[in-house]
Amino acid sequence: MSLTMLPAVQPAPLRWRRSFPGGPEQARDVRRFVGCLLAGCPYLDDVLLAADELVVNALRHTKSGQDGGFFTVEIAQDGGLVAVSVTDQGGPAEPAAVDAGELAESGRGLRTIALTAATWGWHGNGEGRTVTAVFTGEWAA
């Protein structure tokens, strides 16, 4: 009887998706959801910050933050790549990373994501859009 060496199997990409009601208290639940899924991720703090910022933007600037609103969070992990996406119910303005004034109390979220993520972007329209931040790095074996 001979033993055949099996080829190394690459782990399949993982995806998780969950919808949340459109209340401000949901940001904490999103952080818990993402943190549990990505325990051991060496850049988890950056991913959690991005998830939080994307949720806050969905609640402040789209129909997701209105009565009866909701949003969906999707996490994808493939090797060292992690993507966090928030899909909202749409709003009047397009997401943009802008330079906030020195004394501004808000307006830094997407700029922060642009500086910490490998890339970010969005697609959609006033009826609904998805904003995604992608992070890369090495995970410990």
Side-chain angles (χ1 to χ4, degrees):
M1 175 184 205
S2 69
L3 293 176
T4 305
M5 295 299 291
L6 296 175
V9 177
Q10 295 296 323
L14 301 171
R15 273 194 179 328
W16 302 273
R17 181 180 299 139
R18 180 175 165 196
S19 292
F20 295 84
E25 68 282 355
Q26 296 303 314
R28 179 185 63 231
D29 292 340
V30 169
R31 288 189 303 273
R32 189 174 311 128
F33 171 67
V34 174
C36 287
L37 294 173
L38 299 175
C41 175
Y43 42 91
L44 181 58
D45 288 343
D46 290 339
V47 175
L48 290 173
L49 176 63
D52 192 64
E53 292 292 346
L54 295 177
V55 167
V56 168
N57 284 351
L59 295 173
R60 278 191 186 152
H61 304 296
T62 77
K63 295 174 219 160
S64 293
Q66 297 174 0
D67 285 342
F70 66 93
F71 60 93
T72 301
V73 175
E74 181 172 317
I75 303 298
Q77 192 250 323
D78 187 1
L81 180 141
V82 171
V84 57
S85 301
V86 173
T87 301
D88 61 47
Q89 293 180 284
E94 296 180 353
V98 297
D99 290 322
E102 188 175 315
L103 300 177
E105 293 183 15
S106 64
R108 294 177 180 83
L110 289 177
R111 173 66 64 206
T112 300
I113 291 171
L115 294 171
T116 58
T119 188
W120 78 278
W122 67 274
H123 66 276
N125 56 36
E127 300 303 311
R129 67 178 52 92
T130 300
V131 183
T132 301
V134 178
F135 298 85
T136 59
E138 294 298 321
W139 287 46

